Amino acid sequence: MKSKKKRDIQADQEKNLLLDPEKVEKKKKQKRKKRLVMILCEAAVFVGIVIISFQILRVIGKSSLQIKAEAAAPQLATGQETLTEEEKSRWQEGWVKYQDTIYAYNEDIMTFLFMGIDKNSDVKQEEEGTNGGQADALFLAVMNPHDHTIKIIGINRNTMTDIDIYNEEGAYVTTAKAQIAVQHGFGNGMEESCAFQQKAVRKLFYNLPVHGYAAINMSAISTINDAVGGVDVTVLEDLTRVDKTLVKDAKVRLMGESAFWYVKARDTSEFGSADARLARQKQYLNAFIGSAKQAAKKDITTVMDLYQAVSRQMVTNITVDEVAYLAPILADYQFDESGFYMLKGETVMGEEFEEFYVDEDALYEMILEIFYEEAR
């Protein structure tokens, strides 16, 4: 029965085609147009859902970042200068007076700690002890929405500061002065070690609020570098012992392993090698940020792709929704070499290892410059 009905329909179509071909063709065009409209509508709905979902993700990410900081403001010493009666009458908690100027912490600032861990593998949980890996690179990235700038603070890995010591069972033993980089070595090499390192950095910076961290194993440098199309530098020191292309003063585009060695290599037998490496890391980051911004402007998904690409070599508490919030706005933030700060101080030779002692006055003034604004 169905077969006969199908034959009848086909016969009618053939008859119509013979008697009025223009009408048949018109109907075909109308059907194709309807089909195209339906496809476009479905695509529009899909794109709309994606956009709405992404915006919801961004809202969640922004809210998450705003509540993540562990303190309302750094705990800078107050009462160093005498307040006038007028100043006393309008004084607010958290304000700081320094050299006759009153400062208020910029609560809209977002600060992130980035750690380069001296491990050449994917991240994995370690037994409690000292195998978490040292933080050979430490940088604070500061996003200021008031002037849309990014500032970077480089921290010498040999900075002498308070380090919490833990035993092989993970129990706290004592606090001692040591190189800040060793703090990450305690713990399980994952979130626990990162929390220890973040605490040490925050204490050094007067309990500065930190909105997120990312600890990236050095093995990820090549992946990160190549994801933005490489980074152009003028080689600051001869590194041909590890890579023949890294000749002093040569202009090169770092790719793959060359980027890894440029950021990682140092000769521990030479005094001040950590300082020289930090200078290279500063130069590299300056150039990398420029390349990353250009890549993000061409394709906003670059940041998300990069996040996924290094996930196996990274421990972070910066979530996907927070990345979704940050990625679109980063392209609008300005960064240049004047926004790169280094801790001032002096490197001396300790009993066994190099020790970097921070100039406390310079650190205090830098915190005021970057994180505070003149109170109104």
Side-chain angles (χ1 to χ4, degrees):
M1 186 68 180
K2 287 184 179 179
S3 178
K4 182 178 183 303
K5 188 175 181 181
K6 187 175 181 181
R7 287 197 302 270
D8 291 343
I9 293 173
Q10 186 175 353
D12 288 340
Q13 289 175 342
E14 290 173 351
K15 183 175 69 174
N16 291 333
L17 183 61
L18 289 171
L19 297 175
D20 195 350
E22 291 183 1
K23 183 178 180 181
V24 172
E25 184 60 29
K26 186 177 179 180
K27 285 185 176 181
K28 286 183 178 179
K29 286 183 178 179
Q30 288 176 339
K31 286 183 179 180
R32 286 197 294 265
K33 187 176 180 180
K34 287 182 179 179
R35 190 178 298 113
L36 179 60
V37 170
M38 288 182 64
I39 292 172
L40 290 175
C41 288
E42 290 174 356
V45 171
F46 176 75
V47 171
I49 292 173
V50 170
I51 292 174
I52 292 171
S53 299
F54 185 71
Q55 292 303 322
I56 292 173
L57 199 64
R58 292 194 66 219
V59 170
I60 295 172
K62 181 179 181 180
S63 176
S64 175
L65 286 168
Q66 288 173 337
I67 64 175
K68 187 176 284 184
E70 299 177 36
Q75 297 172 359
L76 296 184
T78 57
Q80 296 169 310
E81 299 187 23
T82 304
L83 300 179
T84 66
E85 290 301 318
E86 188 275 332
E87 289 169 345
K88 288 179 182 178
S89 67
R90 68 186 186 94
W91 191 261
Q92 295 183 24
E93 185 178 357
W95 282 11
V96 177
K97 184 176 182 181
Y98 183 74
Q99 294 183 352
D100 293 326
T101 301
I102 296 177
Y103 298 91
Y105 177 67
N106 180 356
E107 295 182 350
D108 295 324
I109 265 180
M110 288 185 290
T111 304
F112 301 91
L113 173 63
F114 291 92
M115 303 165 262
I117 310 303
D118 64 345
K119 283 183 174 289
N120 300 326
S121 61
D122 291 349
V123 296
K124 62 178 182 178
Q125 185 160 321
E126 303 284 354
E127 295 292 332
E128 292 286 351
T130 57
N131 297 319
Q134 295 189 8
D136 273 350
L138 287 167
F139 295 94
L140 285 172
V142 186
M143 294 178 61
N144 186 349
H146 291 183
D147 58 11
H148 285 80
T149 60
I150 297 174
K151 293 182 173 62
I152 307 290
I153 303 173
I155 305 170
N156 192 310
R157 55 101 57 216
N158 290 326
T159 299
M160 299 300 288
T161 190
D162 287 338
I163 298 298
D164 290 338
I165 310 300
Y166 298 84
N167 62 22
E168 293 182 356
E169 284 73 44
Y172 170 78
V173 177
T174 186
T175 298
K177 288 285 184 183
Q179 289 84 351
I180 196 168
V182 307
Q183 182 67 87
H184 188 276
F186 293 95
N188 61 4
M190 301 289 285
E191 289 81 3
E192 186 179 48
S193 294
C194 291
F196 292 163
Q197 188 67 68
Q198 178 174 294
K199 179 182 177 182
V201 171
R202 290 188 62 238
K203 285 170 64 178
L204 175 66
F205 282 78
Y206 297 87
N207 286 319
L208 175 77
V210 173
H211 297 77
Y213 66 73
I216 305 170
N217 285 359
M218 288 295 192
S219 54
I221 293 172
S222 298
T223 301
I224 296 171
N225 179 88
D226 294 0
V228 299
V231 173
D232 295 323
V233 298
T234 299
V235 180
L236 295 181
E237 60 177 305
D238 184 77
L239 296 171
T240 53
R241 67 184 184 279
V242 293
D243 188 313
K244 292 182 180 180
T245 67
L246 301 179
V247 180
K248 189 178 187 303
D249 295 328
K251 297 182 184 298
V252 300
R253 168 160 290 191
L254 297 172
M255 295 295 296
E257 288 295 305
S258 294
F260 169 80
W261 288 118
Y262 196 73
V263 174
K264 175 75 167 61
R266 76 175 176 121
D267 186 350
T268 55
S269 66
E270 291 186 9
F271 178 76
S273 62
D275 299 348
R277 182 175 64 182
L278 184 56
R280 293 199 314 270
Q281 291 172 346
K282 172 186 175 181
Q283 178 207 34
Y284 177 84
L285 273 178
N286 273 321
F288 174 82
I289 291 173
S291 296
K293 287 186 67 176
Q294 289 300 317
K297 284 181 178 179
K298 292 179 182 177
D299 183 359
I300 193 61
T301 64
T302 298
V303 178
M304 298 293 289
D305 292 342
L306 192 56
Y307 181 89
Q308 296 295 335
V310 300
S311 60
R312 293 176 59 184
Q313 297 161 298
M314 174 177 67
V315 178
T316 182
N317 66 347
I318 305 172
T319 61
V320 173
D321 53 0
E322 291 166 354
V323 174
Y325 166 69
L326 294 170
I329 66 174
L330 281 173
D332 295 327
Y333 275 64
Q334 302 300 313
F335 174 81
D336 57 43
E337 193 167 353
S338 65
F340 205 119
Y341 296 73
M342 305 287 279
L343 292 188
K344 294 181 179 179
E346 180 185 13
T347 297
V348 300
M349 193 64 204
E351 293 183 5
E352 189 173 358
F353 302 107
E354 293 176 17
E355 301 174 353
F356 178 81
Y357 289 89
V358 174
D359 181 328
E360 292 292 344
D361 290 336
L363 173 60
Y364 192 95
E365 291 174 358
M366 182 180 70
I367 292 174
L368 286 175
E369 179 183 349
I370 298 175
F371 298 94
Y372 283 73
E373 299 173 332
E374 189 172 340
R376 302 297 181 185

